[in-house]
Structure formats: C-alpha cells, structure tokens
Amino acid sequence: MCGICCTVSLTTDLVKAYCQDAINLRRRGPNSSHELLETDFSHKYSCFFSGHVLHLRGQVTPQPLQDRNGNIFLWNGEVFGGVDVPDTSNDTEVMFQHITSCDNEHDILSLISKIQGPWAFIYYDKKKHNLWFGRDFFGRRSLLWKFGETPKEALCLTSVTEFNCEDGIQWHEIPAVGIFKCNLSSCVKLKSIKLTLYSWISNIKEEQLKTSISNDLEKFISKIKHGGGRLIAPVTLLNREIPESLPESNHQAPSNHVSLEDLKMLISEVHKSNADSFIKVLSEAVRKRVLCLPRVNNTLTSETKLANVAILFSGGIDSMMLAALADRHIPLCEPIDLLNVAFMMQAQKAKTQKCSLQKKHSTTFSREDDAEAGKYTSPFDVPDRITGKLGLEELKTLNPRRIWNFVEINVRPEELKQMRHKHISQLIQPLNTVLDDSIGCAVWFAARGIGMLKCNGEMKAYISTSKVVLTGIGADEQLAGYSRHRVRFNREGYSGLLEELSMELGRISCRNLGRDDRVIGDHSKEARFPFLDEDVVSFLNSLPLWEKTDLMLGRGLGEKLILRIAAVILGLGNSSVLPKRAMQFGSRIAKMENRNEKASDKCSRLQPDVTL
C-alpha cells in the first residue's frame, strides 16, 4: 500500500508541487519516500512524481520507479491474481515490467483487464508523452484529482489530500469507470488538459459513467472510448433471472424473533451446495489476503506474540465469517486482532442499552453475566461491544487454541472532536456528508487499533501491530443486507431488487471504498476487502437472486441468506442470525452528534474552518 501523487505543469517552470508538503501521503507509506521531477524541454511540460511506500511484498521497492527509457511508474495496489507475481517478488516491480513492455494502448488495456486485486496507478510513457492513471473496477484504492486554472499546475493526482487548497479548486475522487490517458504534448499545444477515457465494458458501470462525467468534467474529457475493445470488467455479469412467481418460503419467521433453529430448518440441499461453494471461494479470497504480507518474528512468549492481521469486528455475520476463515489460514502461532470500537454513551443510555440487548440475547448470557451487569454498566457497552464479546466466545469455541485479541477501542467525545479536527476530516474529503463523518470516524479509530485488551483477567493497554486490516464491506451490497433493499423488494419485487443491487456495486467506489482506504491507510495499514474479491463477486453474480437472499423471511434470516447458511456450516452460532446493524449505530457514534441531522446532509463538522 502506498501514497502516490503526480502534479502536471504545461510549462517547464519549476513550480511548487502539491505533493511536496503532503504529510498525509507520508503517513500512508512510512517505509520509503521519494520524489522525481521529469521535464521535457522540447515539448515544454513537466511532471512531479511522489511515492510513499508501505512495505508488504518482496523487497522494499522505492517509488516512483523509473527505467532507462525514462518511463515512470507509481503503484498503489495488490495483485492477487491475473498477473503472476512470485512469492518473493514485489508486485510494483512486476507491474512496471509488464506495463513498459506494452507496445500500444490495446496492450495496456488488456494488461489492466487481467489484474485481480485493488489498485490505483500513475504511469508516464516518456516516448509517447502519455500519462495513464486510474482505479480498479470497484475503486478499492483512493485516487483524487483537481484541474488547475493555470498551465503551471494543470492537473494533480493524489491518494489523499490536505485542506490547504489555496487556489480554491475542489478535489474530487477519480471515478472508477475506466482508465484515463492524457497526451501531454497535445495538452501543451491546447494550453489545457484533455483526457481520453477508456471505460470498462460493463453494464453496472454505465449509470455511474453518466453521473460521474458531470458538466465540470466534460470540458476536460475530450474522448470516451467504451472499453477500447479491451478494457473488460473483471467480474461476470449479474444474473438477472426472475421467477415467474414469488416462491413460497419454507419457513416464515417473525421479524422480531429469529433463532438459530429457524435458520437450520431452512437449509435445503441447494442452499447447502451453494453455501459450500461460497465458503470455498470466500476462503480462498481471505487466504490470499492474510498470507500475502511480511510476517513479524513470533518466537516470543504467548503473552507477547504479535498479530499480523486485524479485522474490523462487531460480532456481526460479516466480521464473524472473516474471522472464522482467517483462522483457517493464519499460522496458529499468530494472534488475530479483533478491533471493536465504541463511542461513549451517557450513563442512563448505557444502562438501558445493555439491559435491552441482554434480554434480546438472553439465551447467550449466563447468570454470572446477569449478576455482573446488575452491579456495573459501562458507558462503552454499545450494541457492537456486546455482540462483539458474544462473537468472541463463539470464535474461542471454534478454535480454543487460537489467541483472539479482542481489542476494546473506547472513544470519548473530546478525543473524537480532537482527532476529527486534526486528521479525520482531511481524510474523508472530498466526501462531506453526515454519514461519511460517522463511518469515517468509526473506521479511523477502529483501524488505529489503540485500546484495551484483557490479559490474565486484567485489562491492559494494547496497540495493534497489524499492517493488514480486513473489512466486511461488500457483503451487504451484494446480498441485500440494507433496509433499503427490503423496501425496494416489497415495492417492486425481484426486478426492483436486482436494479438496486446492480446500482450498489456500480457506486460503491464513490460511496465507501475511497473514503475507507484513505482513513485506514492513515495508520500505515492496508485495507483488504475479501467480499469484493473478483472471484467472490463473480460467483455471487452467477447465482439467481433467490438462492442468495430471501427477503420474504424476517430480518436476521432472509437478508444475506447464503452467508448465514455458510456460517452455520462453519460451526458459528447465534451470530449467524444477527440482523444487520449499521456501524454508525452499532458503535453509537451517531448518538453523540446532532440527532436532527440526516445521513445525506452536508456535515458542518467536516469543514476546514471548524475549530476545537
């Protein structure tokens, strides 16, 4: 994982480049930082490149890379398939060798189409004066741009920005709709940036393409080539089969009470076969993401062994599945960090919250738990903390030999306000809604991994050492996990739900992934998304909708049905039937702010002039 940046000037004047002062870029890549200025005096343009590396594969490879022909490459990504990267090699070097061997644009597009994994890149082809850049199909790595009003700073590309926009020009996320090419020689003659977009050949990207290329961008994008014949989507098309009539569910469970037995009664041979196949493909996605990293020396005692992998953990079905599958592949000698974040509640709210949740999950609480709860209620006993602890017990039962580090990350109002002002608001930009603020803050504190850990019966301070953070994003978007999916299904049936799910994957880059990459990367850690592995998405896309989810069933059962059945097969318990709970509500950050706000409102707390 890296922080990359490039500033383009349509003059040969040496100007102060944005990326020279980008502290946030260096926070993303602490292992190596280098800069490179490329000036073409005959064609009268210059480019400033900056690369900051977090070492995860092979030998530490400083960026930007430059070959003897003057080509320059910046890469922020992981190759998990499609292009062969030997275990001892660095994927940046491998990709640079491949891309510099391409003879024409069709070869470049064909190469890009093969890559499986998250990426954002910038490539300068010196001979042809072309600057190529873009993000992967899902937009799992952040890349921002702004277009200058003067030739001196005509274009800037960067993984993450700062607030100091003295020129008043807004940053925007580069839409993950394809790959962009800028011919710098032509731009000098035009005295303006002009881009060619090679869009993905994909139905789910068509709508995003229409909304992303706004009036502000039309003057810069002179050509749109739909795939150029070669930029093919890395996932199969969504199965849009619709039954002639709605099938009757085998078991109608009330929406306010769903048990593990209800779920087990639903499992048919078809369900089990699909779930077995799903486990296989998701397990492989997790394997690639937990083994593809340098491992610290774990010859220490069991109390001091270090974790290499962490999971954003709420105890819900998504994070439980990731933990159970990670346990299959991570060496047993290594702990796994379960990062659980909670925002402080007022005392009375905390007491009410804990009593309510204990009643809801009464079958999983012992008498000792009830007695202890009566004596003391923590202001951090938010819903995700309680379900997280329950999930921890399930994981201990699943593999009692594993060291499961349940990291309790407690955030007080004053620290939230301080860190939002100092770091988080800059990282969330250019997104700016109340929802972005809530999720961005929750993810930032969780990924930081600073909290408390119970050791030998005592709570001690703990800092997660993992460089890789697994997150369950993508499960709800593909398996109808959100309440809006149920609303759409109730109103329009399968056809409406299919349209909603198709839209979800098309817009996930601009709604979630760029923001989450910037927020997690700020801690010199890399976000990895197993549910968005290309093979996982292709498998789920291949199934008829009713074999993945059944929204005629109640909450905690019908949504993400295939995932819940897979969890049962893996041996998980009551976590298999927990209903979806959004992170901002489960962590209770949403309760700390103005309750009259709507999620889509512009958030005043994210503005640069907000002071402590």
Side-chain angles (χ1 to χ4, degrees):
M1 197 273 295
C2 306
I4 61 177
C5 181
C6 172
T7 297
V8 174
S9 174
L10 302 181
T11 72
T12 56
D13 295 339
L14 181 62
V15 298
K16 181 180 180 181
Y18 159 77
C19 36
Q20 286 179 310
D21 296 322
I23 297 173
N24 285 341
L25 283 169
R26 295 187 177 91
R27 287 172 64 91
R28 291 176 63 89
N31 299 123
S32 171
S33 293
H34 286 81
E35 298 170 344
L36 178 63
L37 177 66
E38 172 66 21
T39 302
D40 189 306
F41 290 100
S42 60
H43 292 85
K44 296 182 171 50
Y45 66 80
S46 58
C47 301
F48 184 89
F49 301 90
S50 180
H52 309 269
V53 177
L54 173 68
H55 174 231
L56 289 170
R57 298 179 78 168
Q59 298 295 317
V60 177
T61 304
Q63 295 193 44
L65 291 178
Q66 185 175 33
D67 66 9
R68 60 184 180 183
N69 296 319
N71 302 312
I72 298 172
F73 189 56
L74 289 166
W75 172 257
N76 175 27
E78 296 288 347
V79 178
F80 291 129
V83 175
D84 182 49
V85 180
D87 292 340
T88 57
S89 298
N90 180 274
D91 62 335
T92 305
E93 289 183 327
V94 171
M95 285 303 304
F96 189 38
Q97 292 169 5
H98 278 284
I99 202 167
T100 54
S101 67
C102 294
D103 294 326
N104 50 55
E105 63 185 33
H106 295 290
D107 291 344
I108 291 177
L109 298 176
S110 180
L111 171 64
I112 296 299
S113 296
K114 295 177 183 178
I115 304 169
Q116 292 185 3
W119 49 262
F121 79 97
I122 302 169
Y123 170 57
Y124 170 65
D125 183 338
K126 182 177 177 64
K127 181 179 179 180
K128 298 179 180 177
H129 310 286
N130 287 330
L131 188 72
W132 294 83
F133 59 91
R135 302 164 68 192
D136 72 77
F137 185 77
F138 297 117
R140 288 164 288 187
R141 291 290 174 260
S142 171
L143 196 60
L144 312 175
W145 62 10
K146 71 173 180 177
F147 297 90
E149 295 179 343
T150 67
K152 283 192 175 183
E153 290 192 29
L155 173 67
C156 187
L157 313 169
T158 183
S159 299
V160 61
T161 184
E162 310 276 343
F163 270 139
N164 56 347
C165 298
E166 298 178 358
D167 55 14
I169 301 174
Q170 289 295 108
W171 290 92
H172 296 277
E173 289 187 330
I174 295 176
V177 293
I179 305 303
F180 295 87
K181 182 183 75 173
C182 177
N183 184 269
L184 299 175
S185 177
S186 298
C187 290
V188 170
K189 295 176 183 177
L190 294 170
K191 297 183 179 180
S192 176
I193 291 292
K194 293 294 181 182
L195 305 175
T196 298
L197 165 62
Y198 299 86
S199 65
W200 293 104
I201 300 176
S202 167
N203 291 338
I204 73 171
K205 287 294 181 179
E206 290 180 2
E207 190 62 33
Q208 187 190 358
L209 182 62
K210 296 176 184 176
T211 58
S212 297
I213 309 305
S214 62
N215 293 334
D216 293 337
L217 292 179
E218 285 181 350
K219 61 183 178 181
F220 299 110
I221 301 177
S222 57
K223 296 179 183 178
I224 299 179
K225 297 186 177 182
H226 294 283
R230 293 294 182 92
L231 195 59
I232 303 171
V235 297
T236 60
L237 296 177
L238 178 66
N239 186 328
R240 292 179 175 271
E241 184 179 353
I242 296 176
E244 294 181 1
S245 61
L246 292 177
E248 293 185 5
S249 295
N250 295 328
H251 177 66
Q252 290 287 347
S255 59
N256 62 345
H257 179 71
V258 172
S259 71
L260 185 57
E261 290 304 313
D262 292 325
L263 178 58
K264 290 179 179 179
M265 288 175 61
L266 284 170
I267 302 176
S268 66
E269 288 303 315
V270 172
H271 284 138
K272 188 176 186 305
S273 176
N274 287 336
D276 285 337
S277 298
F278 182 45
I279 290 172
K280 182 177 180 180
V281 70
L282 183 59
S283 179
E284 176 60 17
V286 171
R287 185 193 69 80
K288 290 184 287 188
R289 286 160 176 79
V290 300
L291 294 185
C292 187
L293 70 158
R295 315 204 84 80
V296 297
N297 187 343
N298 265 318
T299 59
L300 306 171
T301 63
S302 59
E303 291 78 13
T304 56
K305 284 183 178 178
L306 303 176
N308 293 303
V309 175
I311 301 171
L312 297 186
F313 188 78
S314 66
I317 182 66
D318 306 342
S319 59
M320 286 292 290
M321 279 292 290
L322 293 183
L325 293 175
D327 178 56
R328 285 185 168 190
H329 304 294
I330 295 174
L332 189 58
C333 63
E334 293 181 17
I336 296 176
D337 284 349
L338 307 175
L339 307 178
N340 183 274
V341 66
F343 291 83
M344 187 177 184
M345 297 185 295
Q346 296 178 15
Q348 185 58 41
K349 292 179 183 177
K351 182 177 180 180
T352 303
Q353 178 67 59
K354 188 161 187 177
C355 291
S356 174
L357 280 165
Q358 284 186 338
K359 289 179 181 178
K360 187 173 182 180
H361 301 284
S362 58
T363 58
T364 60
F365 277 85
S366 66
R367 292 182 179 179
E368 289 76 15
D369 291 328
D370 289 330
E372 182 64 25
K375 297 178 184 176
Y376 176 75
T377 298
S378 167
F380 297 105
D381 279 335
V382 301
D384 280 359
R385 176 61 48 78
I386 295 173
T387 55
K389 288 181 177 179
L390 295 174
L392 172 65
E393 295 307 312
E394 286 189 26
L395 293 174
K396 286 180 177 179
T397 300
L398 196 66
N399 187 354
R401 296 184 299 164
R402 170 77 65 189
I403 298 175
W404 300 97
N405 289 334
F406 185 76
V407 187
E408 299 185 27
I409 300 163
N410 300 329
V411 185
R412 298 179 180 275
E414 56 271 21
E415 186 181 18
L416 170 63
K417 189 174 182 179
Q418 180 185 28
M419 291 297 104
R420 178 194 282 123
H421 177 77
K422 186 176 181 180
H423 293 294
I424 305 170
S425 57
Q426 301 175 23
L427 301 166
I428 293 173
Q429 295 290 338
L431 304 187
N432 59 11
T433 69
V434 170
L435 183 63
D436 292 315
D437 173 56
S438 294
I439 297 179
C441 289
V443 172
W444 189 89
F445 278 104
R448 186 175 66 163
I450 298 178
M452 303 295 291
L453 179 67
K454 182 176 284 188
C455 184
N456 296 325
E458 296 182 9
M459 298 299 292
K460 297 182 179 180
Y462 181 82
I463 300 177
S464 176
T465 58
S466 61
K467 285 187 176 182
V468 166
V469 178
L470 300 184
T471 169
I473 192 168
D476 291 304
E477 287 78 2
Q478 297 179 79
L479 298 173
Y482 295 119
S483 58
R484 61 177 176 267
H485 296 141
R486 193 174 288 272
V487 171
R488 186 80 182 265
F489 177 75
N490 291 338
R491 188 173 66 237
E492 302 176 33
Y494 280 105
S495 60
L497 181 56
L498 279 167
E499 290 303 317
E500 191 77 19
L501 294 180
S502 178
M503 179 176 62
E504 291 283 8
L505 281 184
R507 67 185 183 182
I508 195 171
S509 62
C510 57
R511 287 174 66 97
N512 304 91
L513 295 174
R515 176 200 65 212
D516 290 356
D517 176 66
R518 292 190 294 275
V519 167
I520 294 174
D522 190 56
H523 303 297
S524 301
K525 299 181 181 184
E526 180 173 280
R528 293 184 175 177
F529 312 96
F531 286 106
L532 291 173
D533 178 88
E534 286 80 358
D535 290 338
V536 171
V537 176
S538 290
F539 171 76
L540 292 175
N541 278 355
S542 71
L543 295 177
L545 183 55
W546 61 89
E547 292 184 9
K548 298 181 287 189
T549 186
D550 184 355
L551 297 189
M552 296 181 70
L553 296 169
R555 290 184 67 244
L557 197 61
E559 74 278 12
K560 300 190 283 191
L561 180 60
I562 190 174
L563 186 62
R564 299 182 187 282
I565 293 172
V568 171
I569 293 173
L570 287 180
L572 296 177
N574 288 325
S575 61
S576 304
V577 290
L578 283 179
K580 167 67 181 178
R581 185 170 54 231
M583 188 178 195
Q584 66 270 27
F585 300 119
S587 67
R588 281 300 185 258
I589 185 174
K591 298 294 185 181
M592 296 182 71
E593 309 295 351
N594 182 3
R595 292 192 176 190
N596 295 321
E597 294 176 323
K598 295 180 180 179
S600 58
D601 288 347
K602 187 174 182 179
C603 184
S604 61
R605 296 179 295 278
L606 293 178
Q607 303 312 305
D609 57 347
V610 174
T611 57
L612 289 174

